[in-house]
Amino acid sequence: RPRVLSLVQPTANSLHLGNYLGALRQWVPLQDEFETFYGVADLHALTVENEPAALTEKTLRAAAQLIAGGVDPDRSTVFVQSHVPEHTQLTWVLSCMTGFGQASRMTQFKDKSSRLGADAANVGLFLYPVLMAADILLYQAERVPVGEDQRQHLELTRDLAGRFNARYGETFVVPEPHILASVGKIMDLTDPTAKMSKTGSPPNGIIELLDPDKANTKKIKSAVTDSDRVITFDEQAKPGVANLLRILSALTGESIESLVAGFEGKGYGDLKGAVADAVVAFAGPFRERTFALMGERTELEKILAAGAERARDVAAGTVRQVYRTIGLLPPG
Ligand code: TYM
């Protein structure tokens, strides 16, 4: 079966609503058609400073949330990136094929490094998209379900695969992004022109799925909208309302048109109430499943050990082939 791969970073205590709607939720149905590899990008998380014990905990918690969100360890390979050393091995090979200029043009790198300044920004941040390309190419993934913010990194991945294939012969599958327009970019509740982001948004702008219902309800009820009073879907003129409608539509399965029709004559308070109810209805059981899995730590570690073994099987085969192809002397 063709393969799919996607990872999340363990950089926060909880996945946020954008991570879930834009990525994790798309992962679940792909399990029916593809051989799926899903996991936690703990090496990517090293680009920011972490307290060691907290990083360990966040990694486990991220894995638990993937499973709580519908990733089935019986049907998917669930693993932690650092358990598969081939990720860093392929990163080096690919980094030697990536132009300095091309890596410098990655917008996430430019944003983060300009925010931090040249000395605080580390070289890992610069290599981050190359490590991501290695994650994908190691598994010969055909599709990569992510949010809109990862599109440019996927373009780089496709470029590197194409460049390698052109130079050395067909080696890598060139992956396709799997990004849904409707949920690929969930917005910050306090600023509906900016994406909901663990690092960029203020606490009131993000819905953390593991937070108490009350806190999330409060954030939704104070979401920024506009001074108009009519509920219509207009992304340019009414981005706050559009974001709430998208979230509600994704969580309830009801189309935007039908939601808008249903809210005729009603106000923003009604819309926010409905969004809060839908978020709570999802997040409550999600949180319970996550905490239950965290309570079965040995079980979780067993799943990740089995996942690492399966992932290494595939990844080691790719690295062996790549090393041979580029002319590295095989050992003994
Ligand atoms: P990360 O951990 O920042 O985010 C995890 C996933 O959530 C998506 N996402 C969003 N989707 C919709 N609206 C939003 N506001 C929103 N914010 C985040 C992200 O696009 C992502 O799919 N570099 C990646 C992790 C990674 C990866 C990979 C992904 C590492 N290696 C290989 C795919 C394939 C990242 O930082 O995602």
Side-chain angles (χ1 to χ4, degrees):
R1 284 195 297 171
R3 298 205 181 112
V4 158
L5 173 128
S6 201
L7 308 179
V8 294
Q9 284 196 72
T11 37
N13 279 319
S14 167
L15 292 190
H16 63 63
L17 191 61
N19 298 140
Y20 175 68
L21 293 179
L24 177 53
R25 213 165 82 121
Q26 318 314 321
W27 299 7
V28 176
L30 291 169
Q31 295 177 116
D32 300 334
E33 271 181 74
F34 293 86
E35 183 183 359
T36 41
F37 292 81
Y38 295 136
V40 185
D42 57 345
L43 296 174
H44 276 103
L46 299 180
T47 54
V48 296
E49 221 172 291
N50 289 283
E51 204 271 295
L55 178 60
T56 310
E57 205 55 28
K58 286 174 181 173
T59 300
L60 271 175
R61 210 179 242 242
Q65 289 178 88
L66 301 187
I67 297 168
V71 169
D72 175 359
D74 290 332
R75 292 193 294 155
S76 289
T77 298
V78 186
F79 71 105
V80 173
Q81 188 185 31
S82 67
H83 294 176
V84 184
E86 286 78 6
H87 288 250
T88 44
Q89 293 182 297
L90 186 60
T91 298
W92 179 254
V93 174
L94 294 177
S95 73
C96 295
M97 299 186 67
T98 309
F100 199 86
Q102 188 174 25
S104 309
R105 283 190 294 275
M106 294 290 114
T107 55
Q108 266 191 18
F109 167 72
K110 284 199 293 186
D111 290 352
K112 286 187 185 163
S113 57
S114 73
R115 211 181 313 136
L116 291 166
D119 284 318
N122 56 57
V123 176
L125 212 50
F126 187 63
L127 275 179
Y128 178 116
V130 183
L131 175 59
M132 178 163 162
D135 298 339
I136 297 165
L137 299 182
L138 269 179
Y139 299 91
Q140 308 287 8
E142 288 196 3
R143 276 217 238 166
V144 185
V146 285
E148 186 60 46
D149 60 343
Q150 300 301 319
R151 191 183 287 281
Q152 196 188 27
H153 295 156
L154 281 176
E155 270 314 310
L156 174 72
T157 307
R158 289 169 53 83
D159 238 59
L160 288 173
R163 194 173 305 157
F164 192 103
N165 290 347
R167 188 154 155 198
Y168 297 107
E170 283 307 308
T171 305
F172 290 122
V173 169
V174 181
E176 295 287 337
H178 179 94
I179 301 171
L180 296 194
S182 55
V183 284
K185 197 171 179 187
I186 299 296
M187 300 302 194
D188 180 332
L189 296 178
T190 63
D191 174 7
T193 61
K195 73 162 184 182
M196 186 180 285
S197 151
K198 321 180 235 226
T199 46
S201 301
N204 281 339
I206 57 178
I207 296 296
E208 301 218 43
L209 297 174
L210 299 180
D211 272 359
D213 292 336
K214 246 173 119 175
N216 282 334
T217 298
K218 200 165 154 212
K219 289 182 190 179
I220 292 165
K221 296 228 161 132
S222 51
V224 168
T225 46
D226 52 61
S227 54
D228 193 18
R229 317 180 67 134
V230 203
I231 297 170
T232 55
F233 186 78
D234 181 339
E235 238 158 341
Q236 297 308 316
K238 300 160 75 67
V241 171
N243 190 39
L244 292 172
L245 284 168
R246 279 187 191 291
I247 292 170
L248 187 57
S249 170
L251 288 173
T252 59
E254 201 173 330
S255 73
I256 303 247
E257 299 83 80
S258 137
L259 288 172
V260 168
F263 281 113
E264 213 192 307
K266 294 190 180 152
Y268 290 173
D270 300 298
L271 172 60
K272 289 176 177 178
V275 172
D277 288 347
V279 167
V280 165
F282 164 71
F286 173 86
R287 201 166 52 231
E288 266 173 42
R289 285 194 294 273
T290 301
F291 292 149
L293 285 157
M294 290 295 289
E296 312 250 341
R297 193 172 167 136
T298 340
E299 199 46 47
L300 194 54
E301 284 168 348
K302 241 196 250 162
I303 291 171
L304 296 175
E309 197 177 325
R310 168 70 192 136
R312 277 205 82 176
D313 247 20
V314 177
T318 306
V319 165
R320 220 177 297 122
Q321 189 194 350
V322 166
Y323 275 19
R324 203 184 310 121
T325 303
I326 63 178
L328 295 178
L329 178 68

